[in-house]
Amino acid sequence: MAAPGGAEAEGVGASPAAPPLPAEPPAAPGLTRGPHRGGMAAPPLGPAVSVVFPGAVSRESCCRFACELLKHVLYQRHQLPLPYEQLAYFCRRPSQVGDMIKKPPSVDLASKKCQQVLTDLEGMLQHLEVIFSLTLVPRVLILLGGSAVSPKELYELNLEGVCVGSTEKSLKTTSCVRKLFHSLFIADVFSELKALPAMGTVVMLQGHRDCGVEWFRPKLNYKVPTRGRKLTVNLSCDGDISISASAPSSTTSVWEDYVWFQAPVTLKGFHE
Amino acid sequence: MARQAVREQQGITLRGSAEIVAEFFSYGINSILYQRGIYPPETFTRVQKYGLTLLVTTDPELKNYLNNVVEQMKEWLCKCLVQRLVVVISSIESNEVLERWQFDIECDKTAKDETVPREKSQKAIQDEIRSVIRQITATVTFLPLLETACAFDLLIYTDKDMAVPEKWEESGPQFIANSEEVRLRSFTTTIHKE
């Protein structure tokens, strides 16, 4: 299959108003960083996909990365029968001529589950927008099945390496999202996995302890699970980025102010 | 008799393989047409296949066209005459070829002479096909939007000496210059590898 393509890179830079990311030593391939800790962390427990953007990205882009990855994981891991936007279209369109007026119980139940997960997911996406506007979010976890401390599968979005800039001086969000998913596609991280039954999905993310977010609940003692299948998606920025505005600061103590927050809603997957 | 019935369920014959592959093309082409917005979403309906929810057209003309192509494909696949199927997506206004979805087919011709079905479970084949279909869906996350109204053509590469059926015509490959390519996964029935 051939298609024209290529990421569009615009000017780079960063807003002086954006708080700098905590200082981190340069990452060696395959290494991840734990929360609240300086120095080097243990290697990731599973595959990792690294994406390097050729410039700064905006906070809105960071939020989009998290939202799109969540939707993508839910579909690829069989928690939604269709990608989110397509599911919303088909589940919410008015009944077509010829549709059954009375549906069998199984179809009606699936329809109710569909409506519920769409509502919950829409709420989740809106609240993700809020928290990303309140604080830098260095890590997002998507936890499938089991519990938040012992999931079946864990998808981690690592944003520690990104340089956050203003919308005007950052790369276009659509280009960055395409680059992210192109990398995921090439890595082919989902095809070998067995189909999953319908299960719950929990979302956790790190944010500043004083960011003032209300919907997400702080989990001060949370530790990233070490069991279960894990995929880490590492995002970082390269290229000509204004050092004064977006480079990490030299103090690692800033990480200590970041705590884990958990979404109060578990997204319930369903099969048709 | 029971043992034979089970073995036939598990075994793949040339005809059975041709049906599986032709059916895949039917669903695969429908998926491409939906995912790339070649036809409006309201002209598609949901069906269950390969353990997935797939979208297939309800447009009677398109359905008829695809059914005819699939039936022809089945016949050619049975005779191991087809090597490739290509979905070409072009701008209606400029005729520029924008995308090209190429499915290469390898046929094990020794299967023509076999009397015993080959052993590969339907489930295993279905799992592989499911991965391919999911990848087709996943491509929309990074492919550029097709912002112009588009049409599609189907090109089928066959053996050189084969007669061109009525209502078909010979065509060039309709390549894209300076294109970017991504590779999808493949599946195999042990007789046809796609």
Side-chain angles (χ1 to χ4, degrees):
Chain A
M1 187 271 294
E8 305 150 44
E10 303 239 321
V12 298
S15 160
L21 287 171
E24 295 288 349
L31 285 176
T32 59
R33 305 191 192 293
H36 321 303
R37 288 172 179 78
M40 308 299 262
L45 300 174
V49 175
S50 295
V51 184
V52 181
F53 300 115
V57 297
S58 65
R59 284 206 193 195
E60 293 77 17
S61 293
C62 292
C63 180
R64 273 288 298 278
F65 301 150
C67 293
E68 295 303 319
L69 184 63
L70 172 60
K71 290 187 273 182
H72 191 68
V73 167
L74 288 172
Y75 170 67
Q76 289 291 339
R77 298 312 287 132
H78 311 96
Q79 301 308 300
L80 297 179
L82 286 172
Y84 165 70
E85 284 80 7
Q86 297 172 22
L87 188 64
Y89 173 84
F90 281 98
C91 285
R92 287 175 171 165
R93 69 177 178 177
S95 297
Q96 305 290 302
V97 172
D99 280 1
M100 284 187 293
I101 294 169
K102 184 168 170 50
K103 299 175 190 169
S106 59
V107 173
D108 202 34
L109 180 59
S111 175
K112 283 181 179 155
K113 287 181 179 176
C114 179
Q115 298 298 337
Q116 184 63 54
V117 75
L118 286 176
T119 302
D120 290 344
L121 184 49
E122 277 159 12
M124 177 85 70
L125 297 174
Q126 285 167 5
H127 287 289
L128 282 170
E129 267 190 56
V130 171
I131 195 169
F132 271 86
S133 71
L134 294 174
T135 172
L136 290 177
V137 177
R139 285 173 189 271
V140 180
L141 300 181
I142 302 167
L143 305 141
L144 266 66
S147 65
V149 297
S150 183
K152 284 205 168 355
E153 294 186 3
L154 162 59
Y155 296 85
E156 178 177 358
L157 180 64
N158 179 4
L159 296 155
E160 291 178 1
V162 302
C163 294
V164 178
S166 67
T167 308
E168 299 78 34
K169 294 187 177 179
S170 296
L171 298 171
K172 282 188 177 174
T173 300
T174 47
S175 304
C176 295
V177 170
R178 268 196 219 131
K179 189 174 171 68
L180 164 61
F181 283 98
H182 185 254
S183 300
L184 281 174
F185 184 91
I186 298 298
D188 196 17
V189 295
F190 297 106
S191 295
E192 299 288 342
L193 301 179
K194 280 187 183 174
L196 286 180
M199 51 183 63
T201 297
V202 172
V203 174
M204 301 203 59
L205 40 72
Q206 281 181 303
H208 195 280
R209 62 172 65 245
D210 298 326
C211 67
V213 68
E214 293 177 350
W215 192 74
F216 287 92
R217 294 173 188 162
K219 300 289 177 187
L220 302 180
N221 297 321
Y222 182 74
K223 289 179 175 29
V224 179
T226 54
R227 288 188 177 183
R229 192 193 170 273
K230 181 177 180 179
L231 170 72
T232 304
V233 180
N234 296 306
L235 304 186
S236 59
C237 297
D238 201 350
D240 184 20
I241 298 169
S242 166
I243 291 176
S244 62
S246 64
S249 74
S250 57
T251 59
T252 57
S253 60
V254 182
W255 274 129
E256 292 171 2
D257 294 327
Y258 282 74
V259 300
W260 285 104
F261 292 85
Q262 180 173 341
V265 169
T266 297
L267 301 169
K268 296 183 182 59
F270 79 100
H271 293 167
E272 284 195 308
Chain B
M1 286 295 283
R3 190 186 296 176
Q4 183 179 10
V6 168
R7 185 176 170 77
E8 280 173 356
Q9 278 177 11
Q10 292 177 342
I12 299 292
T13 61
L14 178 56
R15 175 157 294 281
S17 177
E19 284 179 5
I20 289 170
V21 175
E23 189 177 57
F24 159 73
F25 282 128
S26 174
Y27 286 105
I29 293 168
N30 268 284
S31 292
I32 291 169
L33 297 180
Y34 173 81
Q35 297 296 343
R36 303 310 286 139
I38 310 303
Y39 286 81
E42 58 266 24
T43 64
F44 288 82
T45 189
R46 291 179 291 174
V47 297
Q48 295 297 312
K49 186 69 183 174
Y50 310 124
L52 294 173
T53 298
L54 298 182
L55 295 160
V56 296
T57 187
T58 56
D59 182 308
E61 238 180 271
L62 180 57
K63 268 171 80 167
N64 190 48
Y65 169 75
L66 291 177
N67 285 340
N68 288 340
V69 170
V70 165
E71 283 307 305
Q72 181 64 76
M73 281 291 290
K74 225 183 276 186
E75 188 188 314
W76 284 336
L77 285 164
C78 249
K79 297 174 184 172
C80 285
L81 291 174
V82 62
Q83 297 147 16
R84 182 180 291 168
L85 180 144
V86 182
V87 182
V88 178
I89 295 173
S90 317
S91 161
I92 291 175
E93 189 181 334
S94 66
N95 283 329
E96 182 190 359
V97 178
L98 300 175
E99 283 184 11
R100 207 171 169 278
W101 296 71
Q102 179 170 305
F103 298 89
D104 293 335
I105 304 158
E106 293 171 20
C107 180
D108 184 355
K109 292 185 179 179
T110 62
K112 282 187 192 176
D113 304 318
E114 288 174 1
T115 52
V116 176
R118 296 192 181 183
E119 289 198 13
K120 182 161 185 179
S121 71
Q122 298 277 353
K123 183 185 179 308
I125 298 170
Q126 180 169 285
D127 287 349
E128 291 176 18
I129 291 176
R130 184 165 56 222
S131 294
V132 178
I133 300 275
R134 278 189 179 275
Q135 279 200 312
I136 292 174
T137 306
T139 58
V140 293
T141 58
F142 63 89
L143 285 180
L145 280 176
L146 294 171
E147 293 177 356
T148 177
C150 291
F152 81 101
D153 280 306
L154 294 179
L155 308 182
I156 298 181
Y157 289 62
T158 63
D159 283 3
K160 221 188 308 184
D161 301 326
M162 210 194 69
V164 178
E166 193 186 336
K167 296 184 187 174
W168 290 70
E169 59 184 25
E170 290 194 12
S171 165
Q174 302 189 51
F175 289 129
I176 301 173
N178 303 317
S179 64
E180 196 177 319
E181 292 188 6
V182 289
R183 183 166 285 274
L184 298 176
R185 292 178 70 86
S186 61
F187 72 91
T188 176
T189 64
T190 70
I191 296 174
H192 293 99
K193 182 180 176 193
E194 190 283 319

